[in-house]
Amino acid sequence: MRLLIAEDDADLRQVLTELLAQSGYEVDGRGNGREALEALLATPYDLGIIDLGLPGVSGLEIVRALRARGSTVPILIVTARDSLNDRVGGLDAGADDYIVKPFDLPELRARVRALLRRQHAMAGSELRVGPLTLRPGEPRITLGDATIDLPAGEFALLEALAMRAGHVVSRAHIASRLTRSGDPPSDTAIEICVHRLRRRLEPHGLKVRTLRGFGYLLETAADA
Protein backbone atom coordinates (compact mmCIF):
# COMPACT_ATOMS: atom_id res chain seq x y z
CA MET A 1 0.00 0.00 0.00
CA ARG A 2 1.35 3.41 -0.99
CA LEU A 3 0.41 6.51 1.03
CA LEU A 4 1.03 10.23 0.60
CA ILE A 5 1.39 12.55 3.60
CA ALA A 6 0.91 16.27 2.87
CA GLU A 7 2.03 18.16 5.99
CA ASP A 8 4.02 21.40 6.14
CA ASP A 9 5.39 20.72 9.63
CA ALA A 10 8.57 18.85 8.70
CA ASP A 11 8.99 17.23 12.13
CA LEU A 12 5.42 15.91 12.22
CA ARG A 13 5.69 14.76 8.60
CA GLN A 14 8.81 12.78 9.48
CA VAL A 15 7.18 11.22 12.56
CA LEU A 16 4.11 10.15 10.58
CA THR A 17 6.24 8.85 7.70
CA GLU A 18 8.32 6.69 10.06
CA LEU A 19 5.26 5.48 11.97
CA LEU A 20 3.41 4.33 8.88
CA ALA A 21 6.52 2.90 7.26
CA GLN A 22 6.97 0.75 10.37
CA SER A 23 3.41 -0.53 9.77
CA GLY A 24 4.46 -1.79 6.35
CA TYR A 25 3.26 1.06 4.12
CA GLU A 26 5.27 2.78 1.40
CA VAL A 27 5.08 6.47 2.31
CA ASP A 28 5.86 9.66 0.39
CA GLY A 29 5.83 13.09 2.00
CA ARG A 30 5.11 16.57 0.63
CA GLY A 31 5.26 19.89 2.49
CA ASN A 32 3.59 22.01 -0.18
CA GLY A 33 -0.02 21.78 -1.32
CA ARG A 34 0.67 22.18 -5.03
CA GLU A 35 3.30 19.43 -4.96
CA ALA A 36 0.93 17.17 -3.03
CA LEU A 37 -1.88 17.68 -5.55
CA GLU A 38 0.43 17.00 -8.50
CA ALA A 39 1.67 13.82 -6.83
CA LEU A 40 -1.85 12.57 -6.06
CA LEU A 41 -2.94 13.15 -9.66
CA ALA A 42 0.13 11.54 -11.17
CA THR A 43 0.63 8.52 -8.88
CA PRO A 44 -1.82 5.73 -7.98
CA TYR A 45 -1.77 6.20 -4.19
CA ASP A 46 -3.98 4.06 -1.99
CA LEU A 47 -4.54 6.85 0.57
CA GLY A 48 -3.78 10.54 1.06
CA ILE A 49 -3.26 12.07 4.52
CA ILE A 50 -3.76 15.80 4.01
CA ASP A 51 -3.29 18.77 6.33
CA LEU A 52 -5.78 21.60 5.65
CA GLY A 53 -3.32 24.45 6.25
CA LEU A 54 -0.82 23.71 3.51
CA PRO A 55 1.09 26.48 1.71
CA GLY A 56 0.53 26.93 -2.02
CA VAL A 57 -2.76 25.02 -2.27
CA SER A 58 -4.87 24.33 0.82
CA GLY A 59 -5.87 20.83 1.83
CA LEU A 60 -9.50 21.65 1.10
CA GLU A 61 -8.59 22.80 -2.42
CA ILE A 62 -6.64 19.57 -2.93
CA VAL A 63 -9.66 17.45 -2.02
CA ARG A 64 -11.99 19.47 -4.25
CA ALA A 65 -9.56 19.31 -7.18
CA LEU A 66 -9.13 15.54 -6.81
CA ARG A 67 -12.86 14.87 -6.76
CA ALA A 68 -13.49 17.28 -9.65
CA ARG A 69 -11.00 15.29 -11.70
CA GLY A 70 -12.63 11.98 -10.85
CA SER A 71 -10.02 10.73 -8.37
CA THR A 72 -11.45 8.27 -5.84
CA VAL A 73 -8.33 7.98 -3.67
CA PRO A 74 -9.40 7.93 0.02
CA ILE A 75 -8.47 11.13 1.86
CA LEU A 76 -7.90 11.49 5.61
CA ILE A 77 -7.77 15.14 6.67
CA VAL A 78 -5.41 15.93 9.54
CA THR A 79 -5.73 19.44 10.99
CA ALA A 80 -5.79 21.62 14.08
CA ARG A 81 -9.13 23.10 12.98
CA ASP A 82 -11.76 21.41 15.13
CA SER A 83 -14.93 23.44 14.51
CA LEU A 84 -18.04 21.70 13.23
CA ASN A 85 -18.01 23.86 10.08
CA ASP A 86 -14.43 22.83 9.30
CA ARG A 87 -15.26 19.13 9.72
CA VAL A 88 -18.41 19.35 7.64
CA GLY A 89 -16.67 21.44 4.98
CA GLY A 90 -13.88 18.91 4.62
CA LEU A 91 -16.24 15.94 4.36
CA ASP A 92 -18.57 17.76 1.96
CA ALA A 93 -15.59 18.56 -0.27
CA GLY A 94 -14.97 14.83 -0.64
CA ALA A 95 -12.72 13.79 2.24
CA ASP A 96 -13.39 10.36 3.72
CA ASP A 97 -12.38 10.97 7.33
CA TYR A 98 -11.15 13.70 9.64
CA ILE A 99 -8.76 13.65 12.61
CA VAL A 100 -7.94 16.71 14.75
CA LYS A 101 -4.50 17.59 16.13
CA PRO A 102 -3.22 16.72 18.63
CA PHE A 103 -4.09 13.06 18.14
CA ASP A 104 -2.78 9.75 19.40
CA LEU A 105 -0.65 7.91 16.86
CA PRO A 106 -2.47 4.57 17.42
CA GLU A 107 -5.73 6.34 16.49
CA LEU A 108 -4.21 7.61 13.24
CA ARG A 109 -3.03 4.11 12.35
CA ALA A 110 -6.49 2.73 13.13
CA ARG A 111 -8.17 5.29 10.88
CA VAL A 112 -5.73 4.55 8.06
CA ARG A 113 -6.48 0.82 8.37
CA ALA A 114 -10.24 1.47 8.40
CA LEU A 115 -10.10 3.61 5.24
CA LEU A 116 -7.98 1.05 3.42
CA ARG A 117 -10.34 -1.76 4.47
CA ARG A 118 -13.31 0.26 3.21
CA GLN A 119 -11.58 0.89 -0.12
CA HIS A 120 -10.74 -2.80 -0.43
CA ALA A 121 -14.35 -3.77 0.31
CA MET A 122 -15.59 -1.33 -2.34
CA ALA A 123 -13.14 -2.85 -4.83
CA GLY A 124 -14.83 -6.21 -4.33
CA SER A 125 -18.38 -4.95 -4.83
CA GLU A 126 -20.33 -5.35 -8.06
CA LEU A 127 -20.83 -2.34 -10.33
CA ARG A 128 -23.72 -2.03 -12.79
CA VAL A 129 -24.02 0.57 -15.54
CA GLY A 130 -26.91 -0.18 -17.89
CA PRO A 131 -26.21 -3.62 -19.43
CA LEU A 132 -22.66 -3.66 -18.00
CA THR A 133 -21.77 -5.60 -14.87
CA LEU A 134 -18.24 -5.71 -13.47
CA ARG A 135 -16.50 -6.50 -10.23
CA PRO A 136 -13.50 -4.21 -9.57
CA GLY A 137 -10.23 -6.08 -9.83
CA GLU A 138 -11.74 -8.92 -11.88
CA PRO A 139 -11.28 -8.37 -15.67
CA ARG A 140 -14.20 -10.64 -16.62
CA ILE A 141 -17.23 -8.45 -17.35
CA THR A 142 -20.81 -9.06 -18.45
CA LEU A 143 -22.35 -7.05 -21.30
CA GLY A 144 -25.97 -8.01 -21.73
CA ASP A 145 -25.92 -11.80 -22.11
CA ALA A 146 -22.22 -11.95 -23.08
CA THR A 147 -19.31 -12.62 -20.73
CA ILE A 148 -16.03 -11.04 -21.86
CA ASP A 149 -12.46 -11.25 -20.56
CA LEU A 150 -10.89 -7.84 -21.15
CA PRO A 151 -7.19 -7.08 -21.66
CA ALA A 152 -5.65 -5.46 -18.58
CA GLY A 153 -5.50 -1.95 -20.05
CA GLU A 154 -9.10 -1.92 -21.28
CA PHE A 155 -10.34 -3.25 -17.97
CA ALA A 156 -8.39 -0.65 -15.98
CA LEU A 157 -9.94 2.08 -18.14
CA LEU A 158 -13.45 0.64 -17.91
CA GLU A 159 -13.16 0.14 -14.15
CA ALA A 160 -12.14 3.78 -13.66
CA LEU A 161 -15.05 5.01 -15.79
CA ALA A 162 -17.64 2.65 -14.27
CA MET A 163 -16.75 3.66 -10.71
CA ARG A 164 -17.62 7.26 -11.67
CA ALA A 165 -20.30 6.55 -14.29
CA GLY A 166 -22.02 9.75 -15.39
CA HIS A 167 -19.13 11.89 -14.09
CA VAL A 168 -15.96 13.09 -15.77
CA VAL A 169 -12.83 11.06 -15.05
CA SER A 170 -9.61 12.96 -15.71
CA ARG A 171 -6.97 11.78 -18.14
CA ALA A 172 -4.44 11.92 -15.27
CA HIS A 173 -6.56 9.56 -13.16
CA ILE A 174 -7.01 7.18 -16.09
CA ALA A 175 -3.26 7.25 -16.72
CA SER A 176 -2.64 6.36 -13.07
CA ARG A 177 -5.02 3.38 -13.33
CA LEU A 178 -3.44 2.18 -16.56
CA THR A 179 -0.01 2.48 -14.97
CA ARG A 180 -1.03 -0.23 -12.52
CA SER A 181 -1.65 -2.60 -15.42
CA GLY A 182 1.73 -2.05 -17.11
CA ASP A 183 4.00 0.77 -18.24
CA PRO A 184 2.93 4.43 -17.87
CA PRO A 185 0.71 5.10 -20.91
CA SER A 186 1.28 7.80 -23.51
CA ASP A 187 -1.57 10.02 -24.71
CA THR A 188 -1.72 7.92 -27.87
CA ALA A 189 -1.96 4.70 -25.86
CA ILE A 190 -4.87 6.12 -23.86
CA GLU A 191 -6.69 7.14 -27.05
CA ILE A 192 -6.21 3.68 -28.54
CA CYS A 193 -7.54 2.08 -25.37
CA VAL A 194 -10.57 4.40 -25.38
CA HIS A 195 -11.23 3.62 -29.06
CA ARG A 196 -11.15 -0.15 -28.47
CA LEU A 197 -13.42 0.13 -25.45
CA ARG A 198 -15.91 2.24 -27.41
CA ARG A 199 -16.15 -0.46 -30.08
CA ARG A 200 -17.05 -3.01 -27.40
CA LEU A 201 -19.56 -0.87 -25.54
CA GLU A 202 -21.47 1.08 -28.19
CA PRO A 203 -23.41 -1.93 -29.59
CA HIS A 204 -24.79 -2.35 -26.06
CA GLY A 205 -25.96 1.26 -25.66
CA LEU A 206 -22.99 2.49 -23.64
CA LYS A 207 -20.89 5.46 -24.67
CA VAL A 208 -17.45 6.72 -23.63
CA ARG A 209 -17.63 10.47 -24.20
CA THR A 210 -14.56 12.72 -24.53
CA LEU A 211 -14.62 16.17 -22.91
CA ARG A 212 -11.63 17.98 -24.33
CA GLY A 213 -9.40 19.38 -21.62
CA PHE A 214 -11.28 17.53 -18.86
CA GLY A 215 -11.32 13.77 -19.47
CA TYR A 216 -13.84 11.05 -20.26
CA LEU A 217 -17.17 9.87 -18.93
CA LEU A 218 -19.18 6.68 -19.28
CA GLU A 219 -22.91 7.07 -19.92
CA THR A 220 -25.83 5.02 -21.14
CA ALA A 221 -27.80 5.88 -24.27
CA ALA A 222 -30.56 7.24 -22.03
CA ASP A 223 -28.12 9.69 -20.42
CA ALA A 224 -26.48 10.87 -23.65
Short mmCIF file of all heavy atoms in Angstrom, two decimals, residues 108-134:
data_model
loop_
_atom_site.label_atom_id
_atom_site.label_comp_id
_atom_site.label_asym_id
_atom_site.label_seq_id
_atom_site.Cartn_x
_atom_site.Cartn_y
_atom_site.Cartn_z
N LEU A 108 -4.47 7.34 14.66
CA LEU A 108 -4.21 7.61 13.24
C LEU A 108 -4.03 6.30 12.48
O LEU A 108 -4.60 6.12 11.40
CB LEU A 108 -2.95 8.48 13.09
CG LEU A 108 -2.54 8.74 11.63
CD1 LEU A 108 -3.49 9.72 10.97
CD2 LEU A 108 -1.11 9.24 11.54
N ARG A 109 -3.23 5.40 13.02
CA ARG A 109 -3.03 4.11 12.35
C ARG A 109 -4.35 3.36 12.18
O ARG A 109 -4.59 2.74 11.15
CB ARG A 109 -2.03 3.26 13.13
CG ARG A 109 -0.59 3.65 12.88
CD ARG A 109 0.37 2.66 13.47
NE ARG A 109 0.27 2.60 14.93
CZ ARG A 109 1.23 2.14 15.72
NH1 ARG A 109 2.35 1.68 15.21
NH2 ARG A 109 1.07 2.13 17.02
N ALA A 110 -5.20 3.42 13.21
CA ALA A 110 -6.49 2.73 13.13
C ALA A 110 -7.37 3.33 12.05
O ALA A 110 -8.05 2.61 11.31
CB ALA A 110 -7.20 2.79 14.48
N ARG A 111 -7.36 4.65 11.92
CA ARG A 111 -8.17 5.29 10.88
C ARG A 111 -7.64 4.97 9.48
O ARG A 111 -8.41 4.79 8.55
CB ARG A 111 -8.22 6.80 11.12
CG ARG A 111 -9.07 7.21 12.31
CD ARG A 111 -9.03 8.70 12.56
NE ARG A 111 -9.79 9.07 13.72
CZ ARG A 111 -11.02 9.58 13.69
NH1 ARG A 111 -11.64 9.73 12.52
NH2 ARG A 111 -11.64 9.92 14.80
N VAL A 112 -6.33 4.93 9.35
CA VAL A 112 -5.73 4.55 8.06
C VAL A 112 -6.16 3.13 7.70
O VAL A 112 -6.59 2.86 6.56
CB VAL A 112 -4.19 4.66 8.13
CG1 VAL A 112 -3.53 3.95 6.94
CG2 VAL A 112 -3.77 6.12 8.18
N ARG A 113 -6.07 2.20 8.65
CA ARG A 113 -6.48 0.82 8.37
C ARG A 113 -7.95 0.74 7.99
O ARG A 113 -8.32 0.01 7.06
CB ARG A 113 -6.21 -0.06 9.60
CG ARG A 113 -4.74 -0.33 9.87
CD ARG A 113 -4.57 -1.48 10.86
NE ARG A 113 -5.22 -1.22 12.14
CZ ARG A 113 -4.61 -0.65 13.18
NH1 ARG A 113 -3.33 -0.26 13.08
NH2 ARG A 113 -5.25 -0.46 14.32
N ALA A 114 -8.80 1.51 8.69
CA ALA A 114 -10.24 1.47 8.40
C ALA A 114 -10.53 1.98 7.00
O ALA A 114 -11.35 1.40 6.28
CB ALA A 114 -11.00 2.30 9.44
N LEU A 115 -9.87 3.07 6.58
CA LEU A 115 -10.10 3.61 5.24
C LEU A 115 -9.62 2.65 4.17
O LEU A 115 -10.28 2.47 3.14
CB LEU A 115 -9.40 4.96 5.09
CG LEU A 115 -10.07 6.14 5.80
CD1 LEU A 115 -9.18 7.37 5.73
CD2 LEU A 115 -11.43 6.43 5.21
N LEU A 116 -8.49 2.01 4.40
CA LEU A 116 -7.98 1.05 3.42
C LEU A 116 -8.86 -0.19 3.34
O LEU A 116 -9.08 -0.74 2.26
CB LEU A 116 -6.53 0.67 3.76
CG LEU A 116 -5.52 1.80 3.59
CD1 LEU A 116 -4.16 1.38 4.13
CD2 LEU A 116 -5.40 2.22 2.13
N ARG A 117 -9.41 -0.62 4.49
CA ARG A 117 -10.34 -1.76 4.47
C ARG A 117 -11.59 -1.40 3.69
O ARG A 117 -12.11 -2.20 2.91
CB ARG A 117 -10.73 -2.15 5.89
CG ARG A 117 -9.71 -2.99 6.62
CD ARG A 117 -10.33 -3.69 7.82
NE ARG A 117 -11.00 -2.77 8.72
CZ ARG A 117 -10.41 -2.18 9.75
NH1 ARG A 117 -9.12 -2.41 10.00
NH2 ARG A 117 -11.07 -1.35 10.54
N ARG A 118 -12.10 -0.18 3.91
CA ARG A 118 -13.31 0.26 3.21
C ARG A 118 -13.07 0.30 1.70
O ARG A 118 -13.91 -0.14 0.92
CB ARG A 118 -13.73 1.64 3.70
CG ARG A 118 -15.06 2.13 3.13
CD ARG A 118 -15.30 3.59 3.46
NE ARG A 118 -15.14 3.88 4.87
CZ ARG A 118 -15.10 5.12 5.36
NH1 ARG A 118 -15.19 6.15 4.54
NH2 ARG A 118 -14.96 5.31 6.66
N GLN A 119 -11.91 0.82 1.30
CA GLN A 119 -11.58 0.89 -0.12
C GLN A 119 -11.47 -0.51 -0.71
O GLN A 119 -11.93 -0.77 -1.83
CB GLN A 119 -10.27 1.65 -0.31
CG GLN A 119 -9.89 1.91 -1.76
CD GLN A 119 -10.73 3.00 -2.40
OE1 GLN A 119 -11.68 3.50 -1.82
NE2 GLN A 119 -10.37 3.38 -3.61
N HIS A 120 -10.88 -1.43 0.05
CA HIS A 120 -10.74 -2.80 -0.43
C HIS A 120 -12.11 -3.46 -0.57
O HIS A 120 -12.36 -4.19 -1.54
CB HIS A 120 -9.88 -3.61 0.54
CG HIS A 120 -9.66 -5.02 0.12
ND1 HIS A 120 -8.85 -5.37 -0.94
CD2 HIS A 120 -10.16 -6.19 0.60
CE1 HIS A 120 -8.85 -6.67 -1.09
NE2 HIS A 120 -9.63 -7.20 -0.18
N ALA A 121 -13.01 -3.20 0.39
CA ALA A 121 -14.35 -3.77 0.31
C ALA A 121 -15.11 -3.23 -0.90
O ALA A 121 -15.81 -3.97 -1.60
CB ALA A 121 -15.13 -3.46 1.59
N MET A 122 -14.94 -1.92 -1.17
CA MET A 122 -15.59 -1.33 -2.34
C MET A 122 -15.06 -1.95 -3.63
O MET A 122 -15.79 -2.16 -4.59
CB MET A 122 -15.36 0.18 -2.37
CG MET A 122 -16.15 0.95 -1.34
SD MET A 122 -15.76 2.70 -1.37
CE MET A 122 -16.25 3.13 -3.03
N ALA A 123 -13.75 -2.27 -3.63
CA ALA A 123 -13.14 -2.85 -4.83
C ALA A 123 -13.71 -4.22 -5.13
O ALA A 123 -13.67 -4.69 -6.26
CB ALA A 123 -11.63 -2.94 -4.65
N GLY A 124 -14.27 -4.88 -4.10
CA GLY A 124 -14.83 -6.21 -4.33
C GLY A 124 -16.32 -6.20 -4.62
O GLY A 124 -16.90 -7.25 -4.88
N SER A 125 -16.95 -5.02 -4.61
CA SER A 125 -18.38 -4.95 -4.83
C SER A 125 -18.69 -4.92 -6.33
O SER A 125 -17.85 -4.56 -7.15
CB SER A 125 -18.97 -3.71 -4.15
OG SER A 125 -18.41 -2.54 -4.69
N GLU A 126 -19.91 -5.29 -6.66
CA GLU A 126 -20.33 -5.35 -8.06
C GLU A 126 -20.82 -3.99 -8.54
O GLU A 126 -21.56 -3.32 -7.84
CB GLU A 126 -21.44 -6.40 -8.20
CG GLU A 126 -21.75 -6.79 -9.62
CD GLU A 126 -22.72 -7.96 -9.68
OE1 GLU A 126 -23.93 -7.71 -9.50
OE2 GLU A 126 -22.26 -9.10 -9.88
N LEU A 127 -20.39 -3.59 -9.73
CA LEU A 127 -20.83 -2.34 -10.33
C LEU A 127 -21.73 -2.64 -11.52
O LEU A 127 -21.43 -3.53 -12.32
CB LEU A 127 -19.63 -1.51 -10.80
CG LEU A 127 -18.65 -1.02 -9.74
CD1 LEU A 127 -17.46 -0.33 -10.41
CD2 LEU A 127 -19.32 -0.06 -8.77
N ARG A 128 -22.82 -1.88 -11.65
CA ARG A 128 -23.72 -2.03 -12.79
C ARG A 128 -23.93 -0.68 -13.44
O ARG A 128 -24.25 0.31 -12.77
CB ARG A 128 -25.07 -2.60 -12.35
CG ARG A 128 -24.99 -4.03 -11.82
CD ARG A 128 -26.37 -4.50 -11.35
NE ARG A 128 -26.32 -5.86 -10.84
CZ ARG A 128 -26.49 -6.95 -11.57
NH1 ARG A 128 -26.74 -6.83 -12.87
NH2 ARG A 128 -26.43 -8.15 -11.04
N VAL A 129 -23.74 -0.63 -14.75
CA VAL A 129 -24.02 0.57 -15.54
C VAL A 129 -24.79 0.10 -16.77
O VAL A 129 -24.20 -0.48 -17.69
CB VAL A 129 -22.74 1.31 -15.97
CG1 VAL A 129 -23.09 2.59 -16.72
CG2 VAL A 129 -21.85 1.61 -14.77
N GLY A 130 -26.10 0.32 -16.79
CA GLY A 130 -26.91 -0.18 -17.89
C GLY A 130 -26.74 -1.69 -18.02
O GLY A 130 -26.87 -2.43 -17.05
N PRO A 131 -26.38 -2.18 -19.22
CA PRO A 131 -26.21 -3.62 -19.43
C PRO A 131 -24.86 -4.15 -18.97
O PRO A 131 -24.60 -5.35 -19.09
CB PRO A 131 -26.34 -3.75 -20.94
CG PRO A 131 -25.80 -2.47 -21.47
CD PRO A 131 -26.22 -1.41 -20.46
N LEU A 132 -24.01 -3.27 -18.42
CA LEU A 132 -22.66 -3.66 -18.00
C LEU A 132 -22.65 -4.06 -16.53
O LEU A 132 -23.21 -3.36 -15.68
CB LEU A 132 -21.69 -2.51 -18.21
CG LEU A 132 -20.31 -2.64 -17.55
CD1 LEU A 132 -19.49 -3.74 -18.24
CD2 LEU A 132 -19.57 -1.31 -17.57
N THR A 133 -22.02 -5.18 -16.24
CA THR A 133 -21.77 -5.60 -14.87
C THR A 133 -20.30 -5.94 -14.74
O THR A 133 -19.75 -6.68 -15.56
CB THR A 133 -22.61 -6.83 -14.48
OG1 THR A 133 -23.99 -6.54 -14.66
CG2 THR A 133 -22.36 -7.21 -13.03
N LEU A 134 -19.64 -5.36 -13.71
CA LEU A 134 -18.24 -5.71 -13.47
C LEU A 134 -17.97 -5.71 -11.98
O LEU A 134 -18.66 -5.05 -11.20
CB LEU A 134 -17.28 -4.78 -14.22
CG LEU A 134 -17.13 -3.32 -13.81
CD1 LEU A 134 -16.22 -3.15 -12.60
CD2 LEU A 134 -16.54 -2.52 -14.96
#
